[in-house]
Amino acid sequence: MTLQKIVLIYYIIINITAAAVYFADKRFAVAHRWRVPERVLLLLAFLGGGAGAFFAMTVFRHKTKHIKFIILVPLSIILHMALWWFFGAEILG
């Protein structure tokens, strides 16, 4: 398996995971149950799941009133875009 495929699979998995965790946390909030810590939600975004987190925030209307999420989730996407711009050509050949 090539490095390109590994990286692509990683980004797919982390974004699906982020969206699923944001969705689960929304359901937990509605049911007044145990919640996923905010630091975990943000960590998922900064580990590469920013697009999945942003999708979940928008579609499920979760954490959209929290300034921390409004700023940091898009910032995580910009960070990963910058990393790809600087290092992507070397990593992917």
Side-chain angles (χ1 to χ4, degrees):
M1 184 175 287
T2 65
L3 182 57
Q4 293 100 333
K5 288 182 182 176
I6 292 169
V7 170
L8 178 63
I9 290 169
Y10 171 77
Y11 272 100
I12 290 170
I13 291 171
I14 194 69
N15 278 285
I16 290 171
T17 301
V21 172
Y22 274 68
F23 175 73
D25 189 53
K26 173 67 175 190
R27 301 314 262 165
F28 295 154
V30 170
H32 302 290
R33 295 178 52 206
W34 172 87
R35 301 288 303 279
V36 177
E38 288 186 349
R39 68 179 179 269
V40 172
L41 296 173
L42 290 170
L43 179 64
L44 286 168
F46 277 93
L47 288 176
F54 187 77
F55 169 81
M57 285 176 62
T58 304
V59 172
F60 307 130
R61 293 182 302 190
H62 188 49
K63 298 293 187 185
T64 56
K65 294 182 181 179
H66 296 259
I67 193 74
K68 182 186 334 183
F69 285 85
I70 292 169
I71 293 171
L72 292 178
V73 170
L75 184 63
S76 73
I77 296 169
I78 292 167
L79 172 69
H80 277 268
M81 288 173 62
L83 288 172
W84 278 107
W85 188 72
F86 286 117
F87 299 110
E90 289 186 26
I91 292 173
L92 299 178

